[in-house]
Amino acid sequence: MTKVQKNQRKRLNLALQGGGAHGAFTWGVLDRLMRDGRIFIDGISGTSAGAMNGVVFTDGFIKGGRQGAIDSLGVFWKKVSDGAFMSSQAMMPWFMPGGDKHWNVDNSPAFMMADFFSRMFSPSQLNPLNLNPLRDILSEMVDFEGLRRRKDIKLFVSASNVRTCKLKVFRTEEMSVDALLASACLPLMFKAVEIDGEQYWDGGYLANPAIAPLIHECVSKDVVIVQINPMNRPEAPTTAREILNRINEVSFNSTLVREMSGIATISKLIDQGKLHDTPFHHVNFHIIVAEDEMSQLGASSKFNADWKFLRYLYELGVSTTDKWLAENFDRIEVESTLDMMKMYH
């Protein structure tokens, strides 16, 4: 890591989408950002796999600086891959080994069996002991008590309250393994996670991820969205599997689209000088996305923890971020590089 001049430093907030194994793309993004000594992270908002990436990254950074963050993410995803076999044996397809040459697992016996049973039986019937390999991985890797005491990087983890249908954002001082599991709790696969008497499901249903905390609670006025769920498809789906895949993408993009559409409208009014003497302020937005490549992956590949597949996504994240930095670094803290009206409105 080379030493950089103070005027070269750029502060960013990161908004990390969830998407199961596709979160390995975000691993690559974070790795590449940390290898650039000019980049400093102020806050991270994440959902599901995005939340886990953010917490593991921050814990590693607290323990060992930039290299600690890089190393922790690599260890985490290797443990996810190694734990896939135990997961499939327990009939819990948060992640599974294997996949065809297109990296999807639609036709694998393990996925087809798990998909069928998850639609016929509840998590209480399929997994009465509520086993989740991610709990052991996160508990082993992350010092949650130490994390809660530090504010090196502000953390925001989203979960959906089952009873009230309201978004819950867990902040740094509330962070726990249960908060992360709540953020990634797919209700057809796992029992709702109970925290302080409330039941929670995957945060992606209400925020994927939450943007507002990064705007209102962080110093940096630049937000980089790491988007792993494709927004666009060249044509409408026709087969049953394609339709289910697209429903998944629409569902887990809808909350981001809705929030960013509102932000785009406010930003336009700010630029027009119509919001003087209000709490609103200008924020620069950016996006790191590999939509062409990610759109080739079906929703089933979000359960594919084959190490070669995770490494492919990691390397895609690294190369995509490398290109993004080359093209946009000088515009950070200066202007938005994302056309929000075109992308989300």
Side-chain angles (χ1 to χ4, degrees), residues 203-331:
Y205 296 116
L206 295 176
N208 195 17
I211 304 298
L214 297 175
I215 296 175
H216 300 298
E217 301 180 41
C218 294
V219 173
S220 172
K221 301 308 175 188
D222 282 70
V223 175
V224 178
I225 299 169
V226 181
Q227 186 152 346
I228 59 178
N229 295 292
M231 287 279 291
N232 301 290
R233 288 281 179 180
E235 52 191 40
T238 55
T239 68
R241 179 58 62 184
E242 289 172 346
I243 291 169
L244 288 173
N245 284 344
R246 191 54 178 159
I247 288 172
N248 180 279
E249 291 169 354
V250 170
S251 298
F252 283 98
N253 274 327
S254 61
T255 55
L256 179 65
V257 170
R258 184 170 62 251
E259 186 173 13
M260 288 301 297
S261 178
I263 293 171
T265 300
I266 292 172
S267 297
K268 185 176 181 180
L269 292 173
I270 292 173
D271 293 340
Q272 293 172 347
K274 296 181 179 180
L275 292 179
H276 287 307
D277 301 321
T278 71
F280 300 107
H281 58 269
H282 183 78
V283 176
N284 298 319
F285 280 92
H286 317 272
I287 189 168
I288 297 177
V289 61
E291 189 160 81
D292 289 344
E293 292 84 355
M294 299 301 280
S295 65
Q296 300 301 311
L297 306 174
S300 66
S301 65
K302 292 181 178 181
F303 306 122
N304 183 0
D306 178 83
W307 183 238
K308 290 183 179 180
F309 178 53
L310 298 182
R311 287 292 302 184
Y312 160 75
L313 290 172
Y314 160 80
E315 290 164 6
L316 178 61
V318 170
S319 61
T320 302
T321 307
D322 190 61
K323 180 180 179 182
W324 182 83
L325 284 169
E327 295 175 351
N328 299 294
F329 178 82
D330 291 337
R331 298 170 68 185

Side-chain angles (χ1 to χ4, degrees), residues 4 7 9 20 40 42 65 83 125 128-129 134 137 165 171 221 244 313 325 335:
V4 297
N7 61 2
R9 297 176 180 177
F40 289 78
D42 185 16
Q125 295 170 305
L129 298 179
L134 285 169
I137 293 172
C165 196
R171 288 164 171 78
K221 301 308 175 188
L244 288 173
L313 290 172
L325 284 169
E335 62 182 352

Side-chain angles (χ1 to χ4, degrees), residues 16-305:
L16 310 181
Q17 273 200 327
H22 291 186
F25 173 82
T26 304
W27 164 29
V29 173
L30 294 171
D31 186 298
R32 179 61 184 87
L33 290 175
M34 275 295 92
R35 293 181 191 277
D36 191 317
R38 303 170 297 174
I39 298 294
F40 289 78
I41 307 302
D42 185 16
I44 299 177
S45 178
T47 297
S48 191
M52 295 183 191
N53 273 321
V55 168
V56 170
F57 170 90
T58 301
D59 178 71
F61 183 81
I62 290 171
K63 294 172 179 174
R66 291 175 181 268
Q67 192 60 50
I70 291 168
D71 293 343
S72 289
L73 283 172
V75 170
F76 171 74
W77 282 100
K78 187 61 169 68
K79 286 180 177 291
V80 166
S81 182
D82 291 343
F85 293 93
M86 179 171 61
S87 176
S88 61
Q89 289 171 0
M91 293 172 56
M92 297 185 300
W94 193 90
F95 39 67
M96 288 183 174
D100 63 22
K101 64 181 180 180
H102 302 295
W103 301 117
N104 300 316
V105 295
D106 304 64
N107 299 317
S108 73
F111 177 79
M112 293 177 70
M113 179 179 67
D115 184 58
F116 171 78
F117 281 109
S118 70
R119 297 172 191 276
M120 296 294 294
F121 303 98
S122 73
S124 297
Q125 295 170 305
L126 284 176
N127 182 20
L129 298 179
N130 204 29
L131 299 175
N132 189 336
L134 285 169
R135 177 179 292 279
D136 293 335
I137 293 172
L138 292 166
S139 297
E140 176 188 347
M141 288 197 63
V142 179
D143 176 9
F144 284 98
E145 183 177 350
L147 187 71
R148 290 191 292 268
R149 292 197 302 264
R150 299 283 291 268
K151 294 293 180 68
D152 303 64
I153 299 172
K154 294 179 182 177
L155 291 169
F156 308 95
V157 167
S158 298
S160 301
N161 188 305
V162 179
R163 184 181 62 83
T164 66
C165 196
K166 291 181 180 179
L167 174 66
K168 169 64 178 178
V169 177
F170 295 95
R171 288 164 171 78
T172 304
E173 58 273 16
E174 304 170 285
M175 208 54 59
S176 67
V177 67
D178 282 336
L180 289 180
L181 294 181
S183 184
C185 180
L186 294 173
L188 293 180
M189 300 177 184
F190 299 103
K191 296 178 183 178
V193 177
E194 182 175 338
I195 301 174
D196 296 332
E198 293 287 355
Q199 305 283 326
Y200 294 99
W201 282 341
D202 194 296
Y205 296 116
L206 295 176
N208 195 17
I211 304 298
L214 297 175
I215 296 175
H216 300 298
E217 301 180 41
C218 294
V219 173
S220 172
K221 301 308 175 188
D222 282 70
V223 175
V224 178
I225 299 169
V226 181
Q227 186 152 346
I228 59 178
N229 295 292
M231 287 279 291
N232 301 290
R233 288 281 179 180
E235 52 191 40
T238 55
T239 68
R241 179 58 62 184
E242 289 172 346
I243 291 169
L244 288 173
N245 284 344
R246 191 54 178 159
I247 288 172
N248 180 279
E249 291 169 354
V250 170
S251 298
F252 283 98
N253 274 327
S254 61
T255 55
L256 179 65
V257 170
R258 184 170 62 251
E259 186 173 13
M260 288 301 297
S261 178
I263 293 171
T265 300
I266 292 172
S267 297
K268 185 176 181 180
L269 292 173
I270 292 173
D271 293 340
Q272 293 172 347
K274 296 181 179 180
L275 292 179
H276 287 307
D277 301 321
T278 71
F280 300 107
H281 58 269
H282 183 78
V283 176
N284 298 319
F285 280 92
H286 317 272
I287 189 168
I288 297 177
V289 61
E291 189 160 81
D292 289 344
E293 292 84 355
M294 299 301 280
S295 65
Q296 300 301 311
L297 306 174
S300 66
S301 65
K302 292 181 178 181
F303 306 122
N304 183 0

